[in-house]
């Protein structure tokens, strides 16, 4: 068996030990003679898996008691609609910050449900910067303020948490949850799809403060209603049981690796290594302002785009895959989530240097 270094933006690389554990337990979970896939979600075996999953996430993120932790379906995209439907609370507007492709999508979907004030917009910079907080136009009467903590496509990441007083802060953390420590108490809602730092695709984590629950739009689909899901332990309908189990294994791996602070330390080292290699080269460049560069998704372009195909071909041959940038921005993108080992980044940097030497 040979494993490659997979730089995919999501679904993405998983810790090898998690895959091996899943393989070991595939046919017989803990002596039950059943695969987790075959278990009733109401049975005591699966209930124990679900409880551990939730408790481990609470531990890892230090989630205060006044928050509900939900595991839903429909992806972060489902939440783009579910958020206004759940928390407008009789108001008719919400504030959004536009820092890239994912916030643009969130805004588009929100507009089906309320008036949207775009409090700050980085479009003019081609999404290579985050507008400074001083210039944000935040309406304190709006229902909430939404932003995307890490723009997976543009490689732009908030390095701190915006503070705009009492307006509930809603954050899409799909591509950087568990990668750095955050103070959950600053947020009204945090949501994230699982397929980057938490496991395979198929689980959407929603962490929502209690006071925001219980006033959903009466026409909301029940599966998206935070109150109904919270009352049913996220099992209002049949959950994606096997995916919950796999996310649970990834959370155990994060714990065993030293927790979120240890992940953050390692992510900083990986990102520094890769950005430094880009800075020092005359072939590669990254357009993002260095104070807002993402630790998770590192886009870069080659000075001569004619070399792109050759770069990708030789990288794949060297066991470094899925480096093609998103079609909307072109070039390359290396996603270096928690599960990407330092050796993967070192291998990429060595490959890039060698390619530059032979092709520049
Ligand atoms: C930041 C961000 N938000 C939202 C999404 C959409 O997630 P999903 O495809 O799970 O709906 C993605 C997907 O990659 C993302 O990176």
């Amino acid at each position: 068996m040979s494993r490659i270094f997979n730089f995919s933006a999501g679904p993405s690389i998983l810790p090898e030990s998690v895959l091996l554990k899943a393989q070991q337990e595939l046919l017989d979970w803990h002596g039950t003679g059943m695969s987790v896939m075959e278990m009733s979600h109401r049975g005591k075996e699966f209930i124990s898996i679900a409880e551990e999953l939730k408790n481990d996430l609470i531990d890892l993120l230090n989630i205060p008691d006044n928050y509900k932790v939900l595991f839903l379906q429909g992806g972060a995209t489902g939440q783009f609609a579910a958020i206004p439907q759940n928390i407008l609370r009789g108001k008719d507007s919400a504030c959004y910050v536009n820092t890239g492709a994912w916030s643009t999508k969130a805004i588009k979907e929100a507009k089906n449900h309320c008036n949207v004030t775009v409090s700050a917009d980085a479009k003019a910079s081609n999404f290579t910067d985050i507008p400074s907080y001083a210039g944000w136009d935040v309406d304190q009467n709006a229902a909430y303020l939404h932003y995307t903590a890490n723009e997976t496509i543009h490689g732009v990441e908030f390095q701190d948490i915006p503070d705009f007083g009492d307006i509930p802060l809603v954050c899409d953390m799909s591509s950087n949850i568990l990668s750095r420590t955050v103070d959950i108490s600053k947020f009204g809602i945090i949501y994230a799809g699982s397929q980057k730092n938490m496991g395979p695709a198929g689980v959407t984590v929603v962490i929502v403060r209690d006071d925001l629950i219980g006033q959903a739009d009466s026409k909301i689909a029940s599966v998206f209603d935070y109150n109904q899901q919270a009352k049913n332990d996220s099992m209002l309908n049949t959950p994606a049981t096997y995916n919950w189990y796999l996310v649970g294994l990834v959370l155990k791996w994060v714990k065993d690796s030293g927790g979120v602070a240890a992940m953050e330390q390692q992510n900083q080292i990986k990102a520094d290594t890769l950005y430094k290699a880009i800075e020092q080269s005359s072939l590669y460049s990254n357009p993002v302002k260095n104070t807002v560069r993402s630790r998770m998704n590192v886009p870069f372009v080659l000075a001569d785009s004619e070399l792109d195909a050759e770069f990708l071909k030789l990288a794949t041959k060297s066991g470094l895959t899925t480096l093609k940038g998103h079609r909307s921005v072109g070039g390359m993108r290396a996603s270096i989530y928690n599960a990407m080992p330092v050796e993967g980044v070192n291998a990429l940097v060595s490959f890039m240097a060698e390619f530059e030497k032979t092709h520049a």
Side-chain angles (χ1 to χ4, degrees):
M1 186 194 72
S2 80
R3 300 257 308 153
I4 45 111
F5 291 120
N6 172 14
F7 293 91
S8 169
S12 45
I13 189 168
L14 289 170
E16 199 167 297
S17 61
V18 164
L19 297 173
L20 285 169
K21 178 97 173 155
Q23 182 184 45
Q24 269 166 22
E25 297 184 337
L26 183 67
L27 295 179
D28 177 6
W29 183 81
H30 294 198
T32 57
M34 281 186 284
S35 171
V36 175
M37 274 183 246
E38 302 170 298
M39 289 175 184
S40 162
H41 59 298
R42 308 279 179 212
K44 69 175 189 322
E45 296 86 359
F46 188 75
I47 297 288
S48 74
I49 290 172
E51 280 172 356
E52 266 191 58
L53 166 69
K54 186 158 139 184
N55 291 335
D56 283 343
L57 192 64
I58 290 171
D59 276 2
L60 279 168
L61 291 176
N62 213 357
I63 301 174
D65 289 345
N66 61 325
Y67 285 76
K68 298 284 184 283
V69 180
L70 308 175
F71 299 93
L72 306 180
Q73 297 182 54
T77 305
Q79 291 307 307
F80 292 166
I83 287 161
Q85 287 192 295
N86 272 283
I87 67 158
L88 281 174
R89 309 180 321 286
K91 301 192 178 212
D92 63 1
S93 69
C95 292
Y96 278 71
V97 179
N98 189 18
T99 50
W102 289 109
S103 30
T104 303
K105 287 194 185 188
I107 290 168
K108 183 162 182 265
E109 195 76 27
K111 282 183 175 165
N112 293 331
H113 303 279
C114 61
N115 299 317
V116 169
T117 301
V118 177
S119 297
D121 197 337
K123 197 165 179 205
S125 76
N126 255 335
F127 300 123
T128 56
D129 197 2
I130 295 174
S132 74
Y133 297 149
W136 287 20
D137 167 25
V138 177
D139 171 10
Q140 290 295 332
N141 293 317
Y144 58 89
L145 170 62
H146 177 284
Y147 77 104
T148 308
N150 182 64
E151 288 284 356
T152 322
I153 292 174
H154 290 92
V156 170
E157 184 173 15
F158 281 77
Q159 305 300 324
D160 57 14
I161 301 171
D163 181 359
F164 283 87
D166 288 340
I167 186 167
L169 199 53
V170 175
C171 184
D172 178 354
M173 280 193 197
S174 291
S175 47
N176 69 353
I177 194 165
L178 295 170
S179 72
R180 59 198 302 157
T181 52
V182 279
D183 179 353
I184 304 288
S185 73
K186 304 263 190 232
F187 295 91
I189 296 177
I190 289 169
Y191 65 103
S194 52
Q195 68 271 24
K196 293 133 193 332
N197 269 334
M198 290 190 289
V203 183
T204 319
V205 168
V206 177
I207 302 165
V208 51
R209 210 172 59 212
D210 286 341
D211 61 287
L212 297 173
I213 295 184
Q215 298 175 65
D217 177 339
S218 60
K219 294 202 184 86
I220 192 171
S222 338
V223 290
F224 283 134
D225 181 337
Y226 300 152
N227 196 28
Q228 293 194 54
Q229 285 286 18
K231 282 187 180 149
N232 287 279
D233 294 325
S234 306
M235 294 196 198
L236 189 79
N237 69 318
T238 313
T241 49
Y242 196 67
N243 302 53
W244 285 29
Y245 156 76
L246 290 170
V247 171
L249 292 186
V250 172
L251 297 189
K252 295 267 183 239
W253 170 81
V254 175
K255 279 189 138 177
D256 293 345
S257 311
V260 177
M263 291 289 130
E264 177 165 9
Q265 218 175 17
Q266 171 149 309
N267 289 329
Q268 185 72 61
I269 293 168
K270 290 185 292 179
D272 286 349
T273 304
L274 187 46
Y275 283 117
K276 193 166 146 216
I278 293 169
E279 294 271 290
Q280 287 177 348
S281 116
S282 44
L283 179 62
Y284 312 106
S285 63
N286 170 298
V288 178
K289 191 168 168 202
N290 53 16
T291 51
V292 297
R293 284 180 174 169
S294 169
R295 290 182 200 168
M296 297 281 97
N297 311 95
V298 181
F300 58 94
V301 290
L302 276 61
D304 177 4
S305 61
E306 298 267 300
L307 290 173
D308 285 4
E310 181 71 357
F311 179 93
L312 290 165
K313 194 177 94 192
L314 293 180
T316 304
K317 251 188 169 166
S318 306
L320 308 164
T321 71
T322 340
L323 282 161
K324 196 172 190 319
H326 190 269
R327 59 191 178 281
S328 62
V329 292
M332 309 296 153
R333 171 177 49 171
S335 295
I336 50 175
Y337 298 119
N338 286 352
M340 174 58 68
V342 173
E343 301 81 67
V345 173
N346 290 341
L348 174 61
V349 164
S350 302
F351 168 79
M352 287 166 68
E354 182 61 27
F355 185 87
E356 181 165 0
K357 220 166 35 182
T358 47
H359 291 80

